[in-house]
């Protein structure tokens, strides 16, 4: 749902403010130059873009304090979670902020009736032509093509007298600008410098490079051999089954209120719908990644027979589908894995799957906002009221097994997304992210140089995101060491994968980490310099569980 911007009370504020003009200043710069992408042409001036202007919110300097007040067991207000209206009222931008941005757009010749304010009041939306936006932001939009897949996406370059040099070399500063008097009122503007570095059409070339695909070098291993050995607690060092996990972590619990509880896979924004009395735990999957019911049933027949034929409750977000056209481990492996173990361990707890992103554009992490706020829902460049947006209450637990390198996201975008996780926490939702498979390196084992740019022979830690956000819980990976049993101490994963870690280069260390991190660095000083990691940033202090050797049952089909 969206509120028309032209509300009488709001217009009164806007119209009362006199026009202002000021010089433009660079507001945001692309975090990392796109590798393997090349500029092929300028974007057509008459193409319409769904622009979103993220407004600066109030009281964010107190958000950690507010969150600790409801989440710390020793707090007198522990467990007294906020309502959606509390969140909107506390963090909504000021009237001056809304007016400043609206007046800037109106003074630039954009009719006020074209502007819309989201229900959360955090975004102004505008469908505008490329020509209008280039003039507004003093930038140029170009179309980039991926060298291997042919995928195309748009990007913006700062409009300077040196623009031709920048375009020819496909390097330099990809940025956009806003008037100096408007800058304090804007967090970020999309689409601009926020580049999706991974190609999305790899679902057609079977390489599994799209978001959510299993790692090409690590993760579950494929084999065409039939498992002859009877799996038991004695073989947990070879294959982690449901029984292994139950034994390792003393899981002996049967839900008693399944009519009011559900476990789901996904993530959502919290501030619009009231919490349901039903407890939700939600995993997320990214189209074209999808589970296959036949795979789930094959797994359940072996390890949880009562679940054969049981499907997760699926919520489709932002045009998503559970596609079955492309079937292979690259398309189904991660989704199968998530659901096989989530459903198997929580049975008979219902599972709610949040399937995210359409088959054309795929999905990014901010697509989860669509689940509870219809103002974020777009489909092929525009709003589609038929999509499943703004229809679910925030779940109690969100489980996400994917991530990206922190170096590939701008600080403004990372901060904005992290603040939404804090709001989820205020509402009583816990968000869990996997810490990654490459240790202190980024995806593919890539580290950073001294300028925090990814390079093949980098020496600086390359942390992940959103796992570095201080308002989520990082989940690492352990293993039953070879020759050990479930009764022996586990070890950190260092054979199939390397459990992720590191310190954030964006988020400062939160107060709740200070004592633990100081004690760790003092008593266990790492053999690294401060130039190799940011010891003042948020540390990936993670809860871990056994991940090495998990089984994924996949029924192969030939097309």
């Amino acid at each position: 749902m969206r509120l028309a911007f032209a509300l009488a009370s709001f217009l009164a504020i806007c119209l009362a403010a006199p026009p202002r003009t000021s010089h433009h200043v660079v507001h945001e710069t692309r975090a990392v130059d796109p590798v393997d992408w090349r500029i092929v042409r300028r974007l057509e001036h008459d193409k319409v873009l769904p622009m979103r202007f993220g407004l600066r919110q109030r009281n964010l300097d107190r958000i950690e304090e507010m969150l600790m007040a409801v989440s710390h067991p020793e707090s007198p207000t522990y467990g007294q979670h906020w309502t959606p209206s509390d969140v909107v009222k506390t963090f909504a931008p000021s009237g001056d902020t809304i007016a400043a941005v609206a007046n800037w757009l109106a003074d630039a010749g954009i009719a006020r009736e074209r502007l819309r304010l989201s229900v959360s009041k955090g975004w102004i939306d505008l469908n505008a032509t490329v020509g209008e936006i280039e003039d507004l932001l003093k930038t140029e939009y170009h179309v980039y093509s991926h060298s291997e897949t042919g995928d195309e996406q748009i990007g913006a370059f700062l409009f300077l007298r040196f623009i031709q040099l920048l375009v020819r070399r496909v390097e330099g500063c990809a940025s956009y600008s806003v008037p100096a008097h408007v800058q304090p009122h804007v967090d970020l503007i999309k689409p601009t410098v926020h580049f999706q570095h991974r190609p999305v059409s790899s679902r057609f070339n079977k390489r599994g490079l799209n978001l959510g695909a299993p790692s090409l070098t690590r993760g579950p291993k494929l084999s065409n051999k039939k498992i002859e050995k009877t799996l038991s607690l004695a073989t947990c060092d070879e294959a982690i089954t449901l029984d292994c996990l139950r034994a390792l972590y003393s899981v002996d619990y049967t839900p008693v209120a399944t009519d009011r509880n559900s476990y789901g896979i996904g993530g959502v924004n919290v501030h619009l719908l009231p919490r349901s009395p039903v407890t939700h735990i939600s995993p997320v999957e990214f189209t074209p990644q999808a589970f296959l019911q036949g795979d789930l049933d094959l797994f359940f027949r072996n390890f949880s027979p009562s679940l054969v034929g049981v499907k997760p409750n699926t919520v489709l977000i932002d045009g998503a589908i559970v596609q079955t056209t492309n079937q292979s481990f690259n398309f189904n492996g991660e989704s199968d894995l998530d659901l096989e173990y989530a459903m198997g361990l929580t049975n008979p707890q219902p599972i709610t799957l949040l399937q995210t992103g359409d088959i054309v554009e795929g999905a990014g992490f901010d697509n989860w906002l669509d689940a509870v706020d219809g103002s974020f829902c777009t489909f092929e460049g525009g709003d589609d009221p038929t999509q499943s947006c703004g229809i679910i209450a925030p779940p109690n637990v969100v489980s996400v097994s994917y991530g990206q390198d922190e170096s590939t996201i701008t600080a403004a975008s990372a901060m904005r997304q992290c603040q939404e996780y804090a709001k989820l926490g205020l509402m009583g939702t816990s968000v869990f992210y996997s810490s990654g498979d490459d240790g202190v390196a980024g995806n593919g084992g890539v580290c950073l140089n001294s300028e925090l740019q990814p390079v093949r022979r980098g020496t600086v830690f390359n942390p992940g995101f959103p796992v570095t956000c201080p308002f989520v819980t990082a989940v690492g990976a352990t293993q039953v060491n070879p020759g050990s049993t479930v009764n022996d101490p586990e070890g950190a994963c260092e054979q199939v994968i390397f459990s992720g870690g590191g310190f954030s280069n964006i988020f400062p260390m939160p107060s709740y980490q200070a004592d633990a991190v100081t004690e760790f660095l003092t008593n266990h000083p790492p053999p690294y310099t401060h130039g190799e990691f940011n010891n003042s940033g948020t540390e990936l202090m993670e809860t871990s569980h056994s991940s090495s050797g998990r089984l994924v049952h996949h029924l192969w089909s030939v097309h």
Side-chain angles (χ1 to χ4, degrees), residues 68 152 168 181 196 239 353 361 391 393 409 459 461:
M68 293 299 288
E152 291 187 349
R168 284 199 303 271
H181 75 277
Q196 183 174 323
L353 166 65
E361 298 179 353
I391 62 170
I409 189 170
T459 58
F461 293 179

Side-chain angles (χ1 to χ4, degrees), residues 34-54:
V35 178
D36 295 329
W37 295 85
R38 62 185 180 86
I39 294 176
V40 293
R41 66 181 187 278
R42 283 283 298 273
L43 189 60
E44 296 80 1
H45 274 206
D46 59 352
K47 182 176 177 60
V48 176
L49 298 178
M51 302 301 300
R52 299 167 56 201
F53 297 78

Side-chain angles (χ1 to χ4, degrees), residues 503-533:
F503 290 73
S504 174
N505 293 314
I506 293 178
F507 301 102
M509 186 182 301
S511 60
Y512 69 81
Q513 283 191 356
D515 290 344
V517 173
T518 299
E519 181 181 0
F520 171 76
L521 294 178
T522 301
N523 297 331
H524 309 279
Y528 305 104
T529 68
H530 294 171
E532 292 170 297
F533 71 99

Side-chain angles (χ1 to χ4, degrees), residues 221-228 556:
K221 302 303 180 184
L222 298 178
S223 175
N224 58 4
K225 297 180 180 179
K226 182 179 179 180
I227 299 176
E228 301 290 352
W556 296 99

Side-chain angles (χ1 to χ4, degrees), residues 340-408:
E340 286 165 359
Y341 281 81
M343 295 173 68
L345 288 171
T346 61
N347 183 37
Q349 178 95 6
I351 294 288
T352 298
L353 166 65
L354 302 186
Q355 186 73 35
T356 307
D358 62 49
I359 198 67
V360 176
E361 298 179 353
F365 292 115
D366 56 358
N367 288 79
W368 307 327
L369 300 174
D370 300 339
V372 296
D373 184 354
S375 70
F376 293 104
C377 275
T378 60
F379 184 73
E380 294 183 344
D383 297 323
D384 185 348
T386 67
Q387 301 306 311
S388 300
C389 306
I391 62 170
I392 61 172
N396 293 81
V397 178
V398 176
S399 173
V400 188
S401 58
Y402 309 121
Q404 68 183 98
D405 294 349
E406 189 186 69
S407 60
T408 62

Side-chain angles (χ1 to χ4, degrees), residues 268-473:
V268 294
N269 174 290
V270 306
H271 52 254
L272 295 174
L273 292 182
R275 177 171 299 284
S276 164
V278 175
T279 300
H280 295 276
I281 310 175
S282 298
V284 67
E285 305 297 337
F286 298 92
T287 308
Q289 295 299 306
F291 76 93
L292 294 175
Q293 188 61 42
D295 291 356
L296 302 190
D297 289 343
L298 178 61
F299 180 88
F300 294 146
R301 273 193 290 271
N302 285 290
F303 302 108
S304 189
S306 65
L307 282 172
V308 173
V310 176
K311 299 179 180 180
N313 300 320
T314 301
V315 176
L316 302 177
I317 298 170
D318 215 0
I321 63 170
V322 181
Q323 70 86 23
T324 57
T325 302
N326 295 287
Q327 297 185 16
S328 72
F329 189 74
N330 287 340
F331 294 106
N332 311 118
E334 190 69 34
S335 297
D336 285 347
L337 172 67
D338 292 345
L339 290 169
E340 286 165 359
Y341 281 81
M343 295 173 68
L345 288 171
T346 61
N347 183 37
Q349 178 95 6
I351 294 288
T352 298
L353 166 65
L354 302 186
Q355 186 73 35
T356 307
D358 62 49
I359 198 67
V360 176
E361 298 179 353
F365 292 115
D366 56 358
N367 288 79
W368 307 327
L369 300 174
D370 300 339
V372 296
D373 184 354
S375 70
F376 293 104
C377 275
T378 60
F379 184 73
E380 294 183 344
D383 297 323
D384 185 348
T386 67
Q387 301 306 311
S388 300
C389 306
I391 62 170
I392 61 172
N396 293 81
V397 178
V398 176
S399 173
V400 188
S401 58
Y402 309 121
Q404 68 183 98
D405 294 349
E406 189 186 69
S407 60
T408 62
I409 189 170
T410 67
S413 184
M415 289 285 190
R416 182 78 179 217
Q417 190 176 142
C418 186
Q419 291 155 6
E420 296 304 320
Y421 299 133
K423 294 175 186 176
L424 277 165
L426 287 169
M427 293 278 288
T429 296
S430 299
V431 180
F432 294 83
Y433 269 97
S434 62
S435 65
D437 299 343
D438 294 276
V440 296
N443 288 321
V446 175
C447 287
L448 307 177
N449 60 20
S450 60
E451 301 298 320
L452 302 184
Q453 297 288 305
V455 293
R456 285 297 173 188
R457 297 185 180 275
T459 58
V460 179
F461 293 179
N462 188 6
F465 179 81
V467 72
T468 48
C469 169
F471 307 127
V472 305
T473 299

Side-chain angles (χ1 to χ4, degrees), residues 16 33 76 89 154 161 177 208 224 242 282 405 440 464 544:
D33 290 331
K89 181 171 59 177
I154 62 173
R161 58 182 176 177
S177 300
N224 58 4
L242 297 176
S282 298
D405 294 349
V440 296
S544 298

